[in-house]
Amino acid sequence: MDISVFSFPVQVLPPVNFTLTVSALAQVLLHWEPNPAQEQNNSTIRYDVKILSPVPEEYDTERTRSVRTAALHNGFSARVRTLLLQEHLQMSSHWVQRNLPPLPGAAETSVTNLSCITHVTISGNVSLRCTWLPGQGAPEDTKYFLFYRYETHTEECSTYTQDKWNRNTECRFSSTQIKPGEIDSLIVIHINGSSKRAAIKPFQQLFNQNAIEKVNIPRNISISLEQNDLLAMWEKPISPFHEECFEYEFYLINLKSGNKQILKISSNSFQLRIDGSSRYSIRIRANHNHICRARGFWSDWSEIIYVGKNSQHSTAGEPMLPNQERVQHP
């Protein structure tokens, strides 16, 4: 933020008693007090806040407290100064800076490659699954423990999967306090650990809940033929979001010619001219579109539906899915 400094009749003094307090997992309370010696003289006092790390950010506020969510394993640094505004003039004090040190632990003992996926269940709850790799410097006796925080709720994992050294490398919550209808809310993941041979450094990561949701499969798919026109209809996946918030991929294979098509569809109905002498296999999958919220992971493909005439040239067995089905991409 560029601030023009003018000749001003009042001295601008920095805030006092600036503190940083960890108030929850990956959450910092910034608090300061107005300088008691500050003269106001019909001026407006605001404060310029600059987050230096881990993610730079700058904003101004009239309040004397601010809460920020950030991964804190490598520390946190911020500064604040007083802004004095009178008519069209603005003047600032010098900065006051405070730092939180990195979380303690030996180098390369933190988990790596943390990845998480959520899923809206039939009952409307949200499940959570996270996987990670042990740090290269983590001893074989390391035990990792995962916590998630969503808004004010914090919970420790109770269901783990282990690697060959019995180190926890996967956690599953069958049900969480994550609200499926929220947009761009953050899920905080915190993983710490213990070992008799080294101090294990904690690791934190923030996830946009919409960006890590694996969408459900479209429901009640109906495929019919009217002469050479293929007609398809389906219902949106189980989700609190409306129909216009989804997009679909329609995977069509001509089992006579072997021709394969993946068509992107923005609605839940579709009509296509096909070869009436051929037999086809069809699968559909869904994802969020960018109109309503962040894109998540594509759903699994639906079960295969066959339409059209039987042919001696039809492919035996289930058709191979495209490569992108094997590895989900957001």
Side-chain angles (χ1 to χ4, degrees):
M1 178 185 297
D2 293 328
I3 298 177
S4 300
V5 179
F6 299 88
S7 176
F8 211 64
V10 178
Q11 183 182 9
V12 185
L13 302 175
V16 296
N17 299 329
F18 179 32
T19 59
L20 302 176
T21 305
V22 178
S23 51
L25 286 182
Q27 180 174 284
V28 179
L29 169 64
L30 296 80
H31 183 265
W32 58 91
E33 296 175 3
N35 194 307
Q38 180 65 59
E39 298 179 29
Q40 192 163 347
N41 291 355
N42 298 320
S43 300
T44 299
I45 294 180
R46 295 183 66 85
Y47 300 95
D48 189 12
V49 182
K50 181 180 288 188
I51 309 300
L52 303 176
S53 66
V55 180
E57 179 187 8
E58 188 168 358
Y59 55 95
D60 67 88
T61 178
E62 61 181 14
R63 304 180 65 189
T64 57
R65 68 190 306 274
S66 179
V67 176
R68 282 296 178 268
T69 300
L72 302 179
H73 54 273
N74 287 328
F76 183 91
S77 181
R79 53 173 58 169
V80 63
R81 63 180 175 181
T82 304
L83 299 177
L84 205 59
L85 296 85
Q86 188 176 61
E87 295 179 351
H88 300 296
L89 300 179
Q90 177 172 288
M91 194 173 182
S92 61
S93 71
H94 64 73
W95 293 101
V96 179
Q97 182 170 326
R98 294 291 183 270
N99 306 294
L100 291 175
L103 299 180
E108 296 188 333
T109 57
S110 298
V111 301
T112 61
N113 290 50
L114 174 62
S115 175
C116 295
I117 292 179
T118 63
H119 183 257
V120 180
T121 65
I122 294 176
S123 62
N125 293 320
V126 176
S127 65
L128 173 66
R129 172 178 173 262
C130 294
T131 61
W132 60 89
L133 295 177
Q136 291 185 351
E140 293 179 4
D141 72 337
T142 299
K143 296 292 185 184
Y144 288 113
F145 306 99
L146 181 144
F147 301 76
Y148 88 89
R149 179 174 70 82
Y150 184 80
E151 297 178 345
T152 60
H153 179 83
T154 300
E155 186 174 342
E156 182 178 359
C157 181
S158 60
T159 305
Y160 291 101
T161 301
Q162 289 83 27
D163 65 8
K164 63 181 179 180
W165 290 288
N166 292 320
R167 297 180 296 190
N168 294 335
T169 56
E170 178 180 334
C171 162
R172 291 177 181 266
F173 293 89
S174 60
S175 180
T176 66
Q177 296 297 311
I178 298 168
K179 301 173 184 176
E182 295 296 305
I183 297 177
D184 294 338
S185 292
L186 291 176
I187 301 170
V188 173
I189 301 296
H190 172 97
I191 302 179
N192 57 24
S194 64
S195 166
K196 294 181 180 179
R197 296 163 52 188
I200 306 302
K201 184 178 176 66
F203 179 80
Q204 296 179 344
Q205 190 166 336
L206 313 180
F207 294 94
N208 179 319
Q209 73 170 77
N210 307 129
I212 64 169
E213 179 185 336
K214 183 172 182 178
V215 179
N216 283 299
I217 297 171
R219 298 173 295 162
N220 297 330
I221 300 170
S222 174
I223 307 292
S224 61
L225 288 177
E226 292 186 5
Q227 296 181 352
N228 288 343
D229 287 330
L230 183 149
L231 307 177
M233 297 181 64
W234 57 87
E235 295 180 11
K236 74 176 183 70
I238 295 173
S239 169
F241 289 91
H242 298 297
E243 291 181 359
E244 61 270 18
C245 293
F246 294 91
E247 63 181 358
Y248 304 91
E249 286 189 344
F250 191 90
Y251 183 37
L252 181 72
I253 300 179
N254 184 322
L255 299 176
K256 179 180 179 181
S257 68
N259 183 51
K260 302 176 183 180
Q261 293 177 276
I262 295 182
L263 306 171
K264 293 190 177 294
I265 312 296
S266 59
S267 65
N268 58 347
S269 63
F270 176 60
Q271 182 171 339
L272 179 69
R273 179 58 62 94
I274 62 171
D275 176 7
S277 66
S278 297
R279 183 169 172 80
Y280 292 84
S281 71
I282 295 165
R283 281 188 166 185
I284 303 173
R285 65 178 183 175
N287 202 345
H288 311 147
N289 62 33
H290 66 280
I291 297 173
C292 295
R293 54 180 178 168
R295 288 170 57 87
F297 295 97
W298 283 98
S299 74
D300 291 331
W301 291 97
S302 65
E303 293 295 323
I304 299 175
I305 298 175
Y306 295 97
V307 296
K309 295 182 178 180
N310 289 316
S311 170
Q312 295 179 348
H313 300 286
S314 296
T315 303
E318 294 191 353
M320 180 68 71
L321 290 171
N323 289 335
Q324 61 262 47
E325 202 279 336
R326 295 192 179 96
V327 180
Q328 294 285 341
H329 294 285

